[in-house]
Amino acid sequence: MQQDSPVDAATTPAGAVPPRTLRGMAKALGPGFVVAMAWLGTGDLIDSAVAGANYGYALIWAMLLALGARLIVTSSLAKYQLCNRIGDERILQGYHRLWRGFPLAIGVGGLILAFTINGAIMTGAGTALHKLTGGLGGETWGPFICTVLATAGAIALSRSRKEYKTIEWVARAVVVILIATFVFAVIRSGFSPWELVQGLAFEVPESVGVLGAGLVVVSLIGAVGGSVANLLYGYLIEDKGWKGPAFRPLQRVDLWSGVAAMVLINLCVWIVAAENLSGRDITIESPEGLATMMQFAVGDMGVPLLWLALFAITFDNLHVWAYGFTKLFVDGLHLTAPRRSARYGDLKSDPLFRPLEIAFLLVLPLVFALPGMPNMVVLTIVANSFNVFLIPGIIVGLVMLTSQRKYMGKFVNKWWETVLLVVIGLVGFWAVYHTAVGLGDLVAQLQS
């Protein structure tokens, strides 16, 4: 329930005290890694490889720009949650103050996005596990069987008594696996610093393959820059027990740490693709294209390394997306129907939570893994392109909340923070337009 009267924002909940030492802060880090791996596996890994293979270093500016935008938006969302002066514990409560239908609209949109994205994630997990097991189940139904096995593992994780702690430890392991894999690939591939510098120019080259340059750029913005997935971070820091402005410095370090790991992995994937596939007339339009990239970079051992990395990130993401977006939807539902909130209280206590998390977001998307359905790469690009339709509303609401002193008190945005959010919002509107154009071109090419 919302509180309309101001509260003492400096109050820290009993039993939840920020660590004072560097060692303590390092041990406390976690939500940033979880959300960074959720962002990475559902867009960045694929988009960076596709862009690097198809366009060399030419589009790397879009990835770096989008990463900066994502950091700004997510940090602002967390600032409202930790530092608002009116007692809101989650960002959707703030959106509810602007328009009572806003939280449920975001929740429904996020649930639809998560359903599609989890379909893409599942196909990646199934394909990777199928390759790692030497073709278990055959070529036709084997990937589907392996997808079912991976999904069963994700469901088992969702039944853990300490669900968030399990999510965090899995994410930490995935960070180590991915950094080790792709840094090793970069070392073996070599590196072209001057071409990387040239790639910082704001250039959109001519399209290559079925995934046009414009659609790839928009997908980068949607997957990396300002998606509804940024809202998941608030639920993760809440699960961690971080409440009140005393946790704001720790939260900043946590988010920066996660984004830094994501930047390193993104750059490594992009460099490996650019160095090994660009100019060879080889485009990445399926998971096998990713394996070809790693084979050129590392040799025969690169193929199993790629499948291991892909399985690690997709398996982690299956659970995180189902858990986080179910929370987002149920939160929106509780704000729209306060009697339901009063009846069930905690979001996970709502009887809709487990059916949505398991049946709708972990079982039903298995349809995307059936033989003949689009592969992971195409599903990921298209799903993240649709994702941008949610960005403008989220950012406009965020600007309204964080730039008004009646909501933020002394933590209100500085003028340049508001300007940055407005610019990101304008890019979001630009992305909506170009998504419609890019998806039209994609459909036309697939039909021809």
Side-chain angles (χ1 to χ4, degrees), residues 257-437:
S257 299
V259 171
M262 188 172 64
V263 168
L264 177 60
I265 296 167
N266 263 316
L267 283 175
C268 288
V269 171
W270 199 302
I271 289 169
V272 172
E275 292 291 339
N276 292 279
L277 297 186
S278 181
R280 291 178 181 263
D281 293 326
I282 300 175
T283 59
I284 296 178
E285 296 177 0
S286 69
E288 285 71 21
L290 295 172
T292 300
M293 173 189 80
M294 289 294 286
Q295 187 171 31
F296 277 120
V298 181
D300 290 341
M301 68 178 298
V303 176
L305 280 176
L306 182 279
W307 296 127
L308 175 62
L310 184 60
F311 180 74
I313 190 68
T314 51
F315 179 73
D316 169 69
N317 284 184
L318 278 175
H319 184 204
V320 173
W321 274 68
Y323 174 78
F325 277 96
T326 301
K327 274 203 160 187
L328 182 69
F329 173 78
V330 175
D331 194 9
L333 181 62
H334 279 197
L335 287 167
T336 305
R339 289 184 180 179
R340 190 178 188 92
S341 176
R343 182 177 182 182
Y344 297 115
D346 180 70
L347 301 180
K348 292 178 67 175
S349 299
D350 192 300
L352 276 177
F353 189 91
R354 290 303 181 187
L356 283 173
E357 181 187 24
I358 296 174
F360 186 71
L361 292 182
L362 287 175
V363 176
L364 195 56
L366 284 169
V367 66
F368 291 108
L370 291 169
M373 295 297 285
N375 64 59
M376 177 192 181
V377 174
V378 173
L379 275 174
T380 300
I381 296 289
V382 173
N384 280 312
S385 297
F386 280 118
N387 173 32
V388 302
F389 289 104
L390 297 171
I391 295 173
I394 290 172
I395 295 183
V396 167
L398 181 60
V399 170
M400 294 175 67
L401 290 171
T402 57
S403 62
Q404 297 188 61
R405 193 170 294 275
K406 69 177 181 178
Y407 298 128
M408 298 302 298
K410 66 180 181 179
F411 295 99
V412 68
N413 281 349
K414 297 178 175 60
W415 68 268
W416 56 268
E417 292 175 312
T418 299
V419 169
L420 285 175
L421 287 174
V422 169
V423 170
I424 294 168
L426 292 174
V427 172
F429 282 107
W430 171 86
V432 168
Y433 168 76
H434 282 276
T435 292
V437 174

Side-chain angles (χ1 to χ4, degrees), residues 146-170:
C146 289
T147 302
V148 172
L149 293 175
T151 303
I155 292 173
L157 290 180
S158 74
R159 304 302 297 169
S160 171
R161 292 179 62 185
K162 297 181 178 180
E163 191 170 7
Y164 169 74
K165 184 170 288 188
T166 302
I167 287 173
E168 186 175 300
W169 278 107
V170 171

Side-chain angles (χ1 to χ4, degrees), residues 21-159:
T21 64
L22 288 177
R23 181 180 179 183
M25 292 184 71
K27 290 178 66 176
L29 302 182
F33 291 122
V34 175
V35 78
M37 292 305 99
W39 296 334
L40 184 70
T42 55
D44 298 26
L45 189 66
I46 299 298
D47 287 333
S48 293
V50 168
N54 292 2
Y55 306 106
Y57 292 97
L59 290 176
I60 205 166
W61 61 268
M63 185 268 287
L64 294 176
L65 182 66
L67 278 172
R70 165 161 272 166
L71 180 61
I72 293 167
V73 170
T74 307
S75 184
S76 295
L77 290 166
K79 182 174 79 168
Y80 181 83
Q81 181 166 318
L82 294 175
C83 303
N84 73 85
R85 66 182 295 269
I86 49 181
D88 289 346
E89 295 183 351
R90 294 182 293 274
I91 186 66
L92 284 198
Q93 293 173 303
Y95 285 127
H96 185 258
R97 294 179 184 279
L98 301 178
W99 174 46
R100 62 181 303 174
F102 210 160
L104 188 58
I106 293 174
V108 171
L111 204 63
I112 294 171
L113 173 67
F115 174 79
T116 309
I117 286 290
N118 256 10
I121 295 170
M122 284 178 176
T123 62
T127 299
L129 186 59
H130 183 247
K131 299 294 185 180
L132 286 171
T133 57
L136 176 68
E139 292 302 317
T140 301
W141 285 97
F144 179 76
I145 293 171
C146 289
T147 302
V148 172
L149 293 175
T151 303
I155 292 173
L157 290 180
S158 74
R159 304 302 297 169

